[in-house]
């Protein structure tokens, strides 16, 4: 049983930002920060199944692909990397790439990586604040400039670059060709409202990503059977013995977290491992007054994509 206010680890990236406000007050200095990784506060505890990040882009990221579990284990890694993004902010022309415009053979993909023409074959789409995007392992993808996003993923840093805009970093031709599904991305299922407070954004065998919206002044308990991450993206609330605001996160495992919502309400992202969508309960707590109905623990439907 564990409830921990997450600690943050900054990762320097050439495409990152020197201004992380309002999501973090970490000063980047002359070396831009591209990613904030959220870690368990108890460094002696086992590594979490899921990894939560914030990404800040002022330049496009590399065109890349992540391996699935089978390929990752064939090259000695613990697991692959399926991920999902939630757009926290985006400039008007911001875009991401998901999949290719057309299917390629392994030979065609190898040539496109070698001569750089892969940059013209990825399928770009516009994004705006509030978009949720599912990126299954094997999907060729990229993130454009001018975006802040939250990412939930399998706990892995396995990334194979196909194109890097001349940054002189290593490309990973052989592994990229072996890992990639060189085709258009499958159609993503739309978000689904579970109840008045919970919206399922992305559902997969590896994790579930939800948006939760809690009314001003309300009090809740979040009961996680296994592990769960919650990161605030709007408003404030008291949890884990602290006042939490946008960009701050809590990790819990087999425990119950009390959430006291601030005067402006609270919006957060909630992520937990799949494949079952009913491993987390969110229950409003009411004053113990005569005649006041007690809440029932909600039943969350389970489905697969």
């Amino acid at each position: 049983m564990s409830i921990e206010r997450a600690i943050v680890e900054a990762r320097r990236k050439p495409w990152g930002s020197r201004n992380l406000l309002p999501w973090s007050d970490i000063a980047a200095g002359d070396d831009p920060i591209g990613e904030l990784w959220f870690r368990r506060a108890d460094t002696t505890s086992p590594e979490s199944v899921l990894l939560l990040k914030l990404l800040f882009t002022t330049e496009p990221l590399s065109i890349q692909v992540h391996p699935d579990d089978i390929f990752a284990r064939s090259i000695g890694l613990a697991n692959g990397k399926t991920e999902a993004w939630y757009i926290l902010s985006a400039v008007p022309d911001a875009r991401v790439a998901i999949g290719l415009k057309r299917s390629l053979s392994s030979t065609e993909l190898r040539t496109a990586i070698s001569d750089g023409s892969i940059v013209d074959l990825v399928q770009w789409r516009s994004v705006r604040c509030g978009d949720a995007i599912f990126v299954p392992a094997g999907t060729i993808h990229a993130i454009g400039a001018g975006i802040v996003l939250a990412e939930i993923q399998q706990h892995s840093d396995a990334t194979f670059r196909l194109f890097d805009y001349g940054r002189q970093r290593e490309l990973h031709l052989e592994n990229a060709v072996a890992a990639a599904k060189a085709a258009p991305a499958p159609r993503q299922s739309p978000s689904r409202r579970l109840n008045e407070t919970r919206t399922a954004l992305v559902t997969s065998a590896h994790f579930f990503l939800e948006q939760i919206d809690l009314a001003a002044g309300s009090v809740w308990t979040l009961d996680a059977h296994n592990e769960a991450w919650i990161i605030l993206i709007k408003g404030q609330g008291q949890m884990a013995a602290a006042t939490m605001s946008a960009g701050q996160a809590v990790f819990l495992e087999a425990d119950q977290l009390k959430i006291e919502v601030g005067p402006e309400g609270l919006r957060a992202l909630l992520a937990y491992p799949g494949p079952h969508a009913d491993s987390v309960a969110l229950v409003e707590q009411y004053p113990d007054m005569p005649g006041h109905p007690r809440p029932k623990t909600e039943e969350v439907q389970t489905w697969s994509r």
Side-chain angles (χ1 to χ4, degrees):
M1 300 176 67
S2 180
I3 295 177
E4 305 168 23
R5 185 176 177 182
I7 59 175
V8 180
E9 175 186 325
R11 295 288 181 108
R12 311 283 172 172
K13 300 288 182 178
W15 41 261
S17 177
R18 293 178 176 84
N19 181 6
L20 310 186
L21 295 174
W23 308 102
S24 173
D25 58 4
I26 295 176
D30 294 331
D31 199 3
I33 293 174
E35 300 179 352
L36 298 180
W37 290 27
F38 292 88
R39 301 287 201 183
R40 296 191 60 175
D42 184 354
T43 57
T44 65
S45 297
E47 194 173 72
S48 57
V49 173
L50 301 178
L51 178 58
L52 173 66
K53 300 178 182 177
L54 294 183
L55 275 66
F56 304 82
T57 75
T58 58
E59 299 177 11
L61 277 67
S62 63
I63 297 172
Q64 57 189 240
V65 67
H66 306 308
D68 63 15
D69 290 342
I70 294 173
F71 182 70
R73 288 165 186 156
S74 76
I75 59 173
L77 303 177
N79 54 262
K81 184 179 175 184
T82 286
E83 63 189 26
W85 308 328
Y86 181 94
I87 306 298
L88 295 170
S89 69
V91 298
D93 59 349
R95 59 183 191 161
V96 300
I98 303 292
L100 301 182
K101 295 176 182 177
R102 61 181 178 87
S103 296
L104 302 179
S105 68
S106 295
T107 300
E108 289 173 323
L109 178 59
R110 186 183 303 274
T111 299
I113 297 171
S114 298
D115 65 16
S117 60
I118 188 68
V119 73
D120 299 315
L121 294 172
V122 292
Q123 182 64 63
W124 292 94
R125 53 162 284 189
S126 299
V127 291
R128 61 183 180 178
C129 181
D131 285 349
I133 301 148
F134 182 51
V135 189
T139 305
I140 296 173
H141 64 276
I143 301 171
I147 294 173
V148 179
L149 62 82
E151 177 178 295
I152 192 71
Q153 58 161 92
Q154 290 179 271
H155 208 133
S156 169
D157 198 27
T159 297
F160 306 138
R161 285 189 291 268
L162 290 73
F163 183 85
D164 199 33
Y165 300 94
R167 294 190 182 105
Q168 305 303 312
R169 296 189 296 177
E170 180 186 5
L171 301 182
H172 309 99
L173 189 150
E174 296 301 331
N175 280 338
V177 171
K181 299 173 183 176
R187 187 176 184 87
Q188 181 175 332
S189 300
S191 61
R192 179 169 175 170
R193 194 72 176 262
L194 299 177
N195 54 40
E196 292 181 354
T197 61
R198 299 173 68 175
T199 301
L201 303 174
V202 174
T203 68
S204 77
H206 295 294
F207 56 76
F208 291 86
L209 177 64
E210 299 184 17
Q211 176 181 303
I212 61 174
D213 293 275
L214 307 181
S218 59
V219 179
W220 300 77
T221 56
L222 179 65
D223 192 352
H225 297 177
N226 299 302
E227 77 169 50
W229 289 93
I230 180 170
I231 180 169
L232 273 68
I233 59 174
K234 185 176 181 181
Q236 287 187 333
Q238 287 282 335
M239 61 181 80
T243 299
M244 308 287 288
S245 57
Q248 297 178 318
V250 171
F251 172 86
L252 66 154
E253 184 173 32
D255 215 326
Q256 188 176 83
L257 175 70
K258 183 178 182 181
I259 304 172
E260 299 177 69
V261 183
E264 297 179 359
L266 181 154
R267 174 170 291 175
L269 299 178
L270 171 65
Y272 49 95
H276 302 297
D278 57 356
S279 65
V280 171
L282 183 65
V283 181
E284 187 170 11
Q285 302 301 299
Y286 291 89
D288 193 9
M289 299 172 58
H292 199 299
R294 304 301 298 169
K296 295 181 179 179
T297 301
E298 59 200 33
E299 294 182 358
V300 179
Q301 292 177 292
T302 301
W303 69 96
S304 58
R305 62 173 13 339

